[in-house]
Amino acid sequence: MHSRKLLIAANLKMNPLPEGALQVDSPYRERADIDIVIFPSFLDIAACREAKFLLGGQYGHPENAGARTGDISMAMLAAAGCRYVLCGHSERRQYHGETGKDIVEQVIAALEVNIHPIICVGETEKERHTGEEKKVIENQLKGLPLESAITIAYEPVWAIGTGKTASPQDAEEMHAFIRSLLPEDKQEETRILYGGSMKPENAEELLQQPNIDGGLIGGASLKLDQFARIVEIAATMTF
Ligand code: PGA
């Protein structure tokens, strides 16, 4: 049993909504026992808002408005009905060159417009092999307003979209470490999600870990039957 309400998040990345996503029985729908948040592409935000999903943006620029071709701001996300935003996803760090400073600015900007940031951290395979994973995560968390209402997602880079998953023990160890880095009065309430090839086959043993408070799900969130099974597994673990 978990002391924190579980959060299951669907990160659709650069994909359209899967067939059936907006139906009445969609697994993306909000429910009472666990929190479900969907991060669709920007183009699908309006449809998801009309479907009354709890919504997040996959990225938000810290400036409110201006000459930033291709970008969308935190303020615009808030106006579009987003309550959450992903900050520092490893694909943004890798393909868009986002730095620690960018991510701090994003998190602060999100909080200013009352959007709840889910801050993604994670080490590469090489960093894990050389035993640097904790140092890397500690560095990624530096300078962030960890005393604020935030969620952290531990997503080992080598596990994202690869089918490889951190063992429940390794993930739990890292989650407990991350929790120890939070301000003492925030350690109990702050949720720390696991991400990286979470699927119905491994969701139960990951979510059973006391410091794993949910999942950030990419590939399996695009397959409605798989996502629904993960949601059901999470629901059985709730108090
Ligand atoms: P994955 O992606 O579930 O496909 O590994 C997770 C993520 O990148 O958030």
Side-chain angles (χ1 to χ4, degrees):
M1 288 299 154
H2 273 268
S3 52
R4 291 165 289 274
K5 193 175 184 184
L6 294 181
L7 191 167
I8 303 292
N11 177 10
L12 268 47
K13 309 192 179 183
M14 193 174 69
N15 292 289
L17 288 173
E19 179 104 35
L22 301 172
Q23 284 171 8
V24 185
D25 61 350
S26 170
Y28 300 141
R29 287 200 184 282
E30 274 194 80
R31 45 191 289 162
D33 48 0
I34 51 178
D35 287 332
I36 312 277
V37 185
I38 181 169
F39 294 87
S41 84
F42 294 137
L43 297 179
D44 289 319
I45 283 181
C48 289
R49 183 184 59 230
E50 271 155 41
K52 302 209 164 15
F53 295 162
L54 188 51
L55 256 178
Q58 294 179 14
Y59 162 80
H61 195 281
E63 285 169 31
N64 279 344
R68 296 281 173 193
T69 303
D71 278 340
I72 190 160
S73 71
M74 295 292 177
M76 290 161 75
L77 289 178
C82 289
R83 308 255 306 276
Y84 288 80
V85 69
L86 299 179
C87 294
H89 190 282
S90 66
E91 287 154 13
R92 301 285 318 176
R93 295 180 195 255
Q94 193 181 344
Y95 305 132
H96 294 263
E98 287 183 18
T99 63
K101 181 171 167 281
D102 295 329
I103 294 155
V104 170
E105 287 173 6
Q106 290 167 21
V107 170
I108 292 170
L111 292 167
E112 271 169 12
V113 292
N114 282 323
I115 291 189
H116 184 106
I118 298 186
I119 303 165
C120 306
V121 295
E123 82 284 0
T124 62
E125 190 152 35
K126 183 161 167 258
E127 288 160 347
R128 181 158 280 266
H129 279 317
T130 50
E132 292 168 281
E133 66 273 17
K134 289 199 172 122
K135 206 176 78 205
V136 168
I137 304 300
E138 196 167 356
N139 276 334
Q140 288 176 343
L141 290 172
K142 277 215 180 100
L144 287 161
L146 300 177
E147 70 290 352
S148 302
I150 55 153
T151 295
I152 292 173
Y154 170 57
E155 300 204 299
V157 177
W158 48 271
I160 295 178
T162 57
K164 293 189 217 169
T165 322
S167 72
Q169 296 70 29
D170 284 349
E172 169 61 18
E173 188 182 332
M174 185 60 91
H175 280 234
F177 173 68
I178 292 170
R179 199 173 299 288
S180 76
L181 300 175
L182 299 174
E184 218 163 293
D185 60 338
K186 292 290 168 185
Q187 291 184 0
E188 187 54 38
E189 71 196 63
T190 302
R191 290 189 286 201
I192 305 174
L193 314 181
Y194 171 81
S197 300
M198 193 186 265
K199 44 188 180 256
E201 294 73 29
N202 58 27
E204 183 168 3
E205 50 178 8
L206 286 163
L207 294 172
Q208 267 168 354
Q209 305 303 316
N211 283 292
I212 299 185
D213 308 312
L216 180 54
I217 298 153
S221 75
L222 290 166
K223 306 212 172 71
L224 290 191
D225 58 329
Q226 291 196 16
F227 190 69
R229 277 165 63 202
I230 297 172
V231 167
E232 288 310 323
I233 290 166
T236 62
M237 290 180 194
T238 202
F239 46 93

